[in-house]
Amino acid sequence: MADEPTSQSTTCSDPDIIDISISLVSGRSVILKVPSHEKAKRVKQLAAEEFGLVGEEMDLVLDDTTVEEDVKAHELSEALLKLVVLTPGLIALVNVHRVEVVSGSTLKPWTLLDYSQTTRRSPYHVRWNPAMPSQLAIQGRHLIWIHDFNSGEERWSRRFLRGGSEQVSFQWSTDGKKLILVDFRDVIVCDMEQETEIVLRQPADVMCASLNPDGCLLAIGTRHEIRFWEMEAGRQQLSFRTEPMTHLLWHASGEYLAGGDEDGTVSVISQNGQVQWELQQSGAARDLGLSDSVSCLSWSPVQCVLAFAAGLCTTFQVFDATRGQMAWKSPGLGPFQDITWNRDGTKLVVACSDQSVHLLHATRGEVLCSLELSGVVNSLTWST
């Protein structure tokens, strides 16, 4: 049953003060007393304060339609409004021996996992389960484990040799049922539901791997080539020579595979292995010995737009793979450790080597808010 409305005061003699009834989806409600000339934007702020939701993204909704922020309060006096909290998701980041979780809209702290006094003392990289947002996979030194925030417990762990701070050595499948681990010459596919695993032994050390969204094609990057492996048939589909790849990542559509190599070149590759676009660092940088390997890359979940940075760069680039051209570049915030998008592709969050984290608008590139920490964040992930 919905909570009975509460009022900020019992009497009101000022005729310019009106009552506005606002409720949450859960049923909790409040009656605000506001000046009739105030705008809906201010009404929303007051309601957020009453419900303890300051800093979160939200909309006022009337009859399933979002109320524009410049609507005057007197137009809402006899309406039954709902305050809908938009789900910004949660950002998990590694900060020394801790995994901190912050709001995706404000970077305000939500909770943390402190591993400084445990056997899990070296968390290096984190990734949310794309299908079960309460589950966070954490890569440590020679160990990977899954923490479930609903139960507050660790639900799975596995030792592997390669784990370290250099780069992410695992990836979730899109359905959240599998973890793909890179362990020297082995690519290990761990099935969480069946509690089984498949080991794919390669002829050379594996640098990175990425499973495409439908779970059928696994891209494996070694020191000399990229190999496409058909998961159901259990066989290699094709291979082609490349520079040593440090990063591979399929786009959500499965149309493009992005790769970053040790020389700082970013390639956008089709399913048939053809390089569609190749983005190289400037010839001047190469001549001066300033070129550097790719430190991070991340696809937008809704557009064929790729954000990436090299290890020494002070800006990250955003490339439109549909048009084949750069869309924009960030302000000079870097060098960058990691980068990721929110669920609807409207924002990015980046971790910098100066111990800061920045939330940016995904088309204008402006910094929306920042977080200063006491240690370098080398990995972050935004929940879906």
Side-chain angles (χ1 to χ4, degrees), residues 5-221:
T6 58
S7 176
Q8 292 179 310
S9 63
T10 55
T11 62
C12 180
S13 58
D14 189 341
D16 291 330
I17 302 296
I18 60 174
D19 289 347
I20 297 181
S21 178
I22 301 176
S23 66
L24 294 177
V25 175
S26 64
R28 184 183 170 199
S29 58
V30 64
I31 296 175
L32 297 177
K33 293 187 178 294
V34 299
S36 60
H37 66 270
E38 287 284 9
K39 295 184 178 181
K41 180 178 181 180
R42 177 58 179 162
V43 173
K44 184 168 63 174
Q45 291 173 344
L46 293 172
E49 293 174 2
E50 284 292 305
F51 290 121
L53 298 171
V54 179
E56 297 299 331
E57 297 179 19
M58 59 196 71
D59 281 337
L60 279 177
V61 175
L62 174 61
D63 296 330
D64 297 325
T65 302
T66 300
V67 177
E68 298 295 332
E69 292 194 338
D70 59 354
V71 171
K72 293 296 181 63
H74 68 81
E75 299 180 46
L76 308 173
S77 60
E78 297 182 2
L80 296 176
L81 297 170
K82 289 183 179 179
L83 186 68
V84 178
V85 180
L86 306 177
T87 304
L90 294 169
I91 299 169
L93 50 91
V94 177
N95 184 13
V96 193
H97 297 305
R98 302 187 301 179
V99 174
E100 301 191 30
V101 183
V102 300
S103 164
S105 59
T106 63
L107 301 184
K108 290 170 56 178
W110 181 68
T111 189
L112 65 85
L113 304 173
D114 189 348
Y115 292 102
S116 60
Q117 304 300 319
T118 73
T119 57
R120 308 286 196 257
R121 289 195 62 184
S122 300
Y124 294 134
H125 299 284
V126 286
R127 291 293 182 264
W128 289 108
N129 184 325
M132 299 183 67
S134 65
Q135 293 184 3
L136 182 70
I138 305 169
Q139 174 189 323
R141 184 173 180 80
H142 307 316
L143 185 73
I144 184 168
W145 66 96
I146 297 173
H147 181 86
D148 191 310
F149 284 92
N150 282 346
S151 65
E153 298 178 351
E154 185 178 302
R155 67 172 299 267
W156 178 88
S157 66
R158 188 193 191 282
R159 296 195 63 82
F160 68 123
L161 297 177
R162 183 168 171 179
S165 60
E166 293 78 19
Q167 63 191 74
V168 182
S169 295
F170 71 95
Q171 182 204 3
W172 285 100
S173 60
T174 304
D175 61 10
K177 297 178 180 179
K178 296 182 178 65
L179 271 177
I180 293 85
L181 310 183
V182 171
D183 196 5
F184 291 107
R185 294 196 171 189
D186 293 339
V187 178
I188 306 165
V189 182
C190 302
D191 191 311
M192 299 291 108
E193 281 195 335
Q194 303 298 323
E195 297 184 350
T196 59
E197 61 182 44
I198 300 172
V199 179
L200 306 176
R201 176 60 59 88
Q202 304 301 306
D205 282 357
V206 178
M207 308 288 288
C208 48
S210 182
L211 185 66
N212 76 342
D214 63 14
C216 296
L217 196 62
L218 179 65
I220 301 171

Side-chain angles (χ1 to χ4, degrees), residues 91-96 100 102 107 296 313-314 316 330-340 348-360 367 369-380:
I91 299 169
L93 50 91
V94 177
N95 184 13
V96 193
E100 301 191 30
V102 300
L107 301 184
C296 51
C313 288
T314 58
F316 67 82
S330 74
L333 303 170
F336 301 95
Q337 303 291 105
D338 203 1
I339 183 171
T340 188
L348 302 102
V349 63
V350 294
C352 303
S353 56
D354 65 354
Q355 305 183 13
S356 63
V357 173
H358 302 283
L359 185 66
L360 293 92
V367 177
C369 58
S370 300
L371 179 64
E372 302 297 328
L373 297 164
S374 58
V376 174
V377 174
N378 60 293
S379 178
L380 48 74

